[in-house]
Amino acid sequence: MTTQATQRMEVRVTGFGGQGVILAGHIIGQAVALYQDRYAALAQNYGPEARGSACRADVILSGDPIDYPAVFNPQLLLVLSQDGYTQHKRHLREGGLLIYDEGLVRPEADARVAHAGIPATRFAQEAGHKIMANIAMLGFLTALTDVVGLDEMTKAVSASVPPGTDAKNLKAFQLGYDYGLGWLREHGSSASPLLRAS
């Protein structure tokens, strides 16, 4: 297991209700806690209405027990909506990695952090339904970083999605993962220490 995989990592997933933001956070935490024998803590926050309003999932991953599960300056920010980006971009720490759905989010130039965009909603539609954009984003994350292993994340996706949707969700995940491998070949890993060596 790499040093990156064992150190404390703070991840924020944000978007609006109905995009599977909380599920994405749950899957990341489950992959680490159940399949990598590390610790994970999840906190979730909804706007005044669950569907259509801003929401976020904060996940802490660590090789050591987590005594305070609050995320203030995440190293990783996964964004599924422009409002989510606007609200949370300032919290991403220097040297961090912004992963966003390029069909829904237009990030500003920011030399402090690395940007990696994926057409997650398009891939989700190819796999069967746009609701799986969150799963495509997780595949992309898995390809770009060593934060969670491929086998562990695949198992967590299969265990967390609704019964009968496994194949479609795993297709969305694989599309995101393959796109991430291509992204690394094109862009390299020098932009952020979080990126996997290409």
Side-chain angles (χ1 to χ4, degrees):
M1 192 177 296
T2 67
T3 302
Q4 183 174 300
T6 55
Q7 70 185 9
R8 180 184 172 102
M9 176 70 60
E10 296 184 0
V11 182
R12 176 165 290 166
V13 186
T14 183
F16 54 80
Q19 288 186 299
V21 166
I22 306 304
L23 177 61
H26 170 82
I27 289 171
I28 294 169
Q30 182 168 316
V32 165
L34 295 184
Y35 305 116
Q36 284 193 331
D37 198 27
R38 292 191 285 153
Y39 296 91
L42 170 69
Q44 57 195 47
N45 181 283
Y46 288 99
E49 298 177 22
R51 183 167 295 275
S53 61
C55 66
R56 74 173 192 260
D58 289 345
V59 189
I60 298 174
L61 314 172
S62 179
D64 298 313
I66 298 164
D67 53 4
Y68 187 63
V71 170
F72 297 106
N73 297 110
Q75 292 104 316
L76 278 169
L77 179 62
L78 279 69
V79 182
L80 286 156
S81 75
Q82 189 67 38
D83 284 349
Y85 170 74
T86 301
Q87 287 185 33
H88 299 288
K89 63 181 178 179
R90 68 185 183 278
H91 300 297
L92 184 59
R93 74 178 65 176
E94 186 171 353
L97 177 60
L98 169 70
I99 295 176
Y100 62 96
D101 186 330
E102 61 187 27
L104 300 175
V105 180
R106 293 288 179 262
E108 301 166 359
D110 186 348
R112 300 178 317 108
V113 300
H115 295 120
I118 175 178
T121 299
R122 176 166 63 82
F123 286 153
Q125 288 171 328
E126 287 180 25
H129 199 288
K130 66 179 182 179
I131 196 72
M132 296 182 292
N134 60 338
I135 305 299
M137 293 274 284
L138 293 180
F140 191 52
L141 165 69
T142 304
L144 294 185
T145 74
D146 290 319
V147 172
V148 183
L150 175 59
D151 289 345
E152 292 85 356
M153 192 70 100
T154 302
K155 289 176 184 175
V157 169
S158 293
S160 303
V161 298
T165 68
D166 310 38
K168 290 181 178 180
N169 276 283
L170 289 174
K171 180 178 180 182
F173 180 86
Q174 190 66 48
L175 287 168
Y177 184 81
D178 291 343
Y179 189 81
L181 295 180
W183 190 97
L184 278 178
R185 285 192 295 270
E186 181 178 349
H187 298 278
S189 58
S190 59
S192 169
L194 296 178
L195 290 166
R196 186 193 306 271
S198 51

